[in-house]
Amino acid sequence: MKHDENPAIPCDTLITASHVLTQNARREVIRDGAVAVSGGRIAAVGPREALAAYAPAETLSMGRALVMPGLVNVHTHAAMTLFRGLADDLPVADWLHNHIWPVEKMLTPEAVYLGSQLACAEMLAAGVTCFADLYFFSGQTARAADALGMRAVVGEGVLDFPTPSAQNPAEALALSLDLFHRLRGHPRLSAMVVAHSPYAASDATLAACAALAREHDAVFTLHAAEGVTENADSLEKTGRRVIPHLYSLGVLGPNCLLAHCVHVDDGDLELLAATGTRVAHCPRSNAKLASGTAPIPAMRQRSIAVGLGTDGAASNNTLNLFAEMGCASLTLKLVRGDPTAFPARDALDAATLGGAACLGMPDIGAIVPGHHADLAVLSLTRPNMVPFFDAPSQLVYAATGAEVVLTMVAGRVVYRDGRFPGLDVSTLGREVQDMAERLAAHRP
Ligand SMILES: [Zn+2]
């Protein structure tokens, strides 16, 4: 190669691997592939020989491995890792009144920071690079995501009754506003508006939240149509089902992300489709709390954007999107009696491109030039990953997340082989255990 005719193209990192799953428009999987990363973004992706001109500062030779876009968790309450396994297999009212709410009341900023750090570590170790979080003391969750190098959209829960962080909705809205100011211009973190749900927030509170989200061109997210009695309760209180009620308040729209949407009828779905409203599907949480199965195929027929969320670790009990993809697909097959109801390809799309669409982040969810360099690398030498025919099938039905050997966010390696730069995970584990035991002691 003549030096002057083919000058080397400098880049920060070149990753090579036996397979690169792009999730591009043609859903290409490149054999013997490479990804060039520069300035935190994907500079090029293709067969290794096609990227030979790149002169990287660092090369990550991953061998027999799959490089894939980082997964996007569109609905979680990160700090609820503190309540993982605290109480399970109970009627929902008993679970909430006697276990979750009493300990939640005692939450402190420090507790939320610890629980959120643990959540970030858990997600990164299983290939999640971006999450949307709604909880209390949300500034602490942003701080944890920043410390671990994750991408995140965080929001402060607004409710009509006192929360651990706010006495009333006005205080919670002020915290939300503060979050917008503090995160403005941050390269990886942004704020969103959160109302807990139509049953925990008045019409005036919901309208104020929707206005704040519009003002900041931000996502507005809330739980909707999750429980079996929500529509009956809404009909009694407002004369409308949950979704038409939200529509009447002007809440629905392309910036609105509704979590769950389990109990929705054709009329509800038409409203979601007509307004461009998006849906966070949380199949494991819905199964564990026996909420039901959201009609995802009917949503997809109407081109409603659907992403996957883990919900909090009290109702799941992991923040693992590989488990979520598998559950999403298997549950729909089982409930519909149709093995084609939600194929692996669609579950993978929901966890990547669907998540990006739900959060209004068009430059994540795929490995294509110009996108953020958010990706995960899975070993293909683990017994459960052999033989390897079809990437979506392997990721949805065979992978567990434990195959992830490296996770990168914005071009920086933030997890590799069990280690997180700058974090002593065993010390964090002890601190979380102590904090969780102190909180659990407040149960009646
Ligand atoms: Zn939730």
Side-chain angles (χ1 to χ4, degrees), residues 319-333:
L319 308 180
N320 183 323
L321 278 186
F322 287 94
E324 219 64 47
M325 287 192 287
C327 181
S329 180
L330 299 182
T331 307
L332 281 160
K333 288 166 188 272

Side-chain angles (χ1 to χ4, degrees), residues 44-218:
V45 54
R48 185 151 49 142
E49 71 264 21
L51 272 67
Y54 279 88
E58 177 193 30
T59 301
L60 300 171
S61 302
M62 304 309 298
R64 187 156 177 81
L66 174 83
V67 184
M68 66 178 290
L71 300 171
V72 183
N73 184 355
V74 294
H75 181 88
T76 191
H77 317 287
M80 291 188 88
T81 50
L82 291 161
F83 312 142
R84 187 193 332 259
L86 176 75
D88 296 309
D89 310 328
L90 297 169
V92 175
D94 181 9
W95 179 68
L96 285 174
H97 288 275
N98 296 321
H99 299 275
I100 299 302
W101 289 344
V103 290
E104 237 172 20
K105 253 188 232 161
M106 306 309 296
L107 278 172
T108 60
E110 191 206 351
V112 170
Y113 182 55
L114 283 175
S116 297
Q117 278 184 291
L118 185 77
C120 290
E122 180 183 353
M123 287 191 274
L124 287 173
V128 176
T129 52
C130 178
F131 68 104
D133 193 87
L134 38 159
Y135 208 48
F136 312 115
F137 299 114
S138 48
Q140 297 298 324
T141 301
R143 189 179 147 217
D146 203 21
L148 273 94
M150 278 191 93
R151 194 176 301 287
V153 189
V154 297
E156 178 74 24
V158 179
L159 288 85
D160 273 343
F161 43 88
T163 72
S165 49
Q167 282 305 302
N168 53 54
E171 273 188 37
L173 277 163
L175 288 173
S176 301
L177 193 58
D178 181 54
L179 209 53
F180 277 101
H181 291 140
R182 283 166 51 192
L183 299 182
R184 182 172 295 150
H186 194 288
R188 285 177 289 99
L189 305 180
S190 58
M192 64 180 175
V193 181
V194 174
H196 180 276
S197 58
Y199 59 82
S202 68
D203 293 356
T205 299
L206 291 171
C209 286
L212 182 66
R214 272 194 298 273
E215 190 186 321
H216 289 271
D217 194 21

